[in-house]
C-alpha cells in the first residue's frame, strides 16, 4: 500500500544549490569526471550538514536541496542555514581548484512554512513541499553565479549578524514582498568591502558564464 506520513512546520529554512554550468562541464571534461566532481561536492555538503543542524532532503540531478528547522525544531534555523550556505560556496571553490575547472553554482535561501514527510508507494524518500519551497526555486533561478540569493524574510532575520547587498528587481510571485538580497558573509569575516565591488565582481562572472554557455 501507499505511505502518507507528513507534518507541517511553521518555521523552517530551505537551501538549494544548483551547478549552473553542468552542460559545459560534461562537454569539456567528460561525463565520468563531471560526476566525480558532483559527487565530491555533494559529499562535502553532506559532511557539512552535520555541523549546522542541516537536514539533507535530496539531490535532484545537479541540484542539492536541504532544510533547517525540521524534523527537529531549531530556533536558529535561519542562522545555521546561512552559515551552511557560506561554507557550501567555499567548498565549491575548493573543489574547483582541486580539479582545475570552473564550477559555477547558484545558491538560494528562503524561510517559511513547509510540509515535510514521505508519500507514495515506491522509492520512498523524505521530501518538503509548500510555497516556501517553490519560492526558493524562484530565487535559485535568478541567482548570479557563485552567489547566495536570499529572500527578504531571511534578510530580516539575519541582517544584524550577516552582510548583504540588495538584489535588483526580483519579483517573487509567492510572497507579497518583491525585494531580495545577496548574502556576502558574516559580519567580521572577510567579505567584499563595498556594494560596488560586489556588483563589479558579479558582473564579470555573469559575462563569463554567458560567454561560454
Amino acid at each position: 500500500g501507499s505511505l502518507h506520513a507528513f507534518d507541517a512546520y511553521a518555521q523552517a529554512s530551505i537551501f538549494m544549490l544548483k551547478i549552473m554550468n553542468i552542460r559545459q562541464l560534461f562537454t569539456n571534461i567528460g561525463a565520468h569526471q563531471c560526476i566525480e566532481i558532483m559527487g565530491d561536492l555533494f559529499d562535502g555538503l553532506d559532511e557539512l550538514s552535520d555541523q549546522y543542524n542541516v537536514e539533507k532532503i535530496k539531490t535532484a540531478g545537479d541540484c542539492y536541496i536541504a532544510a533547517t528547522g525540521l524534523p527537529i525544531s531549531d530556533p536558529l534555523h535561519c542562522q545555521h542555514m546561512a552559515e551552511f550556505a557560506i561554507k557550501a560556496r567555499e567548498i565549491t571553490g575548493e573543489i574547483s581548484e582541486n580539479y582545475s575547472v570552473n564550477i559555477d553554482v547558484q545558491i538560494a535561501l528562503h524561510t517559511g512554512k513547509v510540509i515535510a514527510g514521505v508519500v507514495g508507494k515506491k522509492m520512498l524518500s523524505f521530501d518538503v513541499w509548500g510555497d516556501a519551497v517553490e519560492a526558493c526555486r524562484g530565487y535559485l533561478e535568478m541567482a548570479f553565479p557563485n552567489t547566495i540569493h536570499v529572500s527578504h524574510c531571511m534578510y530580516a532575520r539575519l541582517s544584524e549578524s550577516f552582510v548583504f547587498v540588495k538584489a535588483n528587481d526580483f519579483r517573487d510571485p509567492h510572497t507579497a514582498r518583491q525585494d531580495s538580497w545577496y548574502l556576502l558573509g558574516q559580519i567580521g569575516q572577510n567579505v567584499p568591502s563595498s556594494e560596488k565591488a560586489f556588483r563589479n565582481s558579479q558582473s564579470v562572472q555573469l559575462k563569463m558564464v554567458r560567454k561560454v554557455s
Side-chain angles (χ1 to χ4, degrees):
S2 63
L3 175 64
H4 292 176
F6 51 85
D7 291 297
Y9 297 87
Q11 292 292 330
S13 293
I14 303 297
F15 166 97
M16 293 185 183
L17 176 147
K18 179 180 175 62
I19 304 174
M20 65 185 302
N21 62 332
I22 191 74
R23 186 176 299 178
Q24 175 199 344
L25 291 173
F26 268 104
T27 300
N28 292 348
I29 63 177
H32 183 78
Q33 189 172 26
C34 187
I35 298 302
E36 278 192 357
I37 290 173
M38 188 162 57
D40 284 354
L41 175 58
F42 291 170
D43 285 349
L45 296 180
D46 286 347
E47 294 175 4
L48 191 64
S49 66
D50 293 333
Q51 302 177 32
Y52 295 101
N53 295 327
V54 171
E55 182 76 14
K56 177 183 179 179
I57 303 301
K58 63 182 177 181
T59 58
D62 55 4
C63 188
Y64 186 103
I65 303 173
T68 52
L70 59 85
I72 299 174
S73 178
D74 178 6
L76 299 177
H77 61 91
C78 289
Q79 178 176 335
H80 289 154
M81 189 55 88
E83 293 170 347
F84 176 80
I86 293 167
K87 289 295 184 182
R89 184 174 57 188
E90 292 177 4
I91 288 175
T92 303
E94 292 169 1
I95 293 175
S96 290
E97 292 182 3
N98 292 341
Y99 281 91
S100 299
V101 297
N102 183 45
I103 305 171
D104 289 312
V105 296
Q106 295 163 293
I107 300 174
L109 306 180
H110 187 39
T111 186
K113 299 178 181 179
V114 303
I115 295 174
V118 178
V119 297
K121 292 185 177 182
K122 295 182 178 181
M123 301 294 288
L124 299 176
S125 63
F126 190 73
D127 210 342
V128 290
W129 305 274
D131 285 347
V133 178
E134 296 308 311
C136 193
R137 296 185 197 280
Y139 293 113
L140 184 70
E141 292 174 1
M142 297 299 295
F144 278 178
N146 305 313
T147 64
I148 304 169
H149 192 201
V150 310
S151 66
H152 186 81
C153 295
M154 289 292 290
Y155 166 79
R157 289 164 173 78
L158 298 171
S159 59
E160 294 185 0
S161 302
F162 292 82
V163 181
F164 295 86
V165 296
K166 187 75 167 57
N168 287 328
D169 300 330
F170 179 78
R171 294 187 178 273
D172 176 10
H174 298 277
T175 64
R177 299 197 67 93
Q178 296 181 347
D179 50 357
S180 61
W181 304 78
Y182 288 109
L183 169 62
L184 303 190
Q186 286 183 275
I187 292 175
Q189 292 185 342
N190 184 24
V191 297
S193 59
S194 70
E195 180 176 341
K196 181 178 180 180
F198 169 79
R199 295 198 184 282
N200 286 344
S201 68
Q202 298 316 309
S203 176
V204 170
Q205 288 190 49
L206 189 58
K207 289 177 181 177
M208 291 176 63
V209 170
R210 285 176 173 170
K211 182 177 180 180
V212 298
S213 58

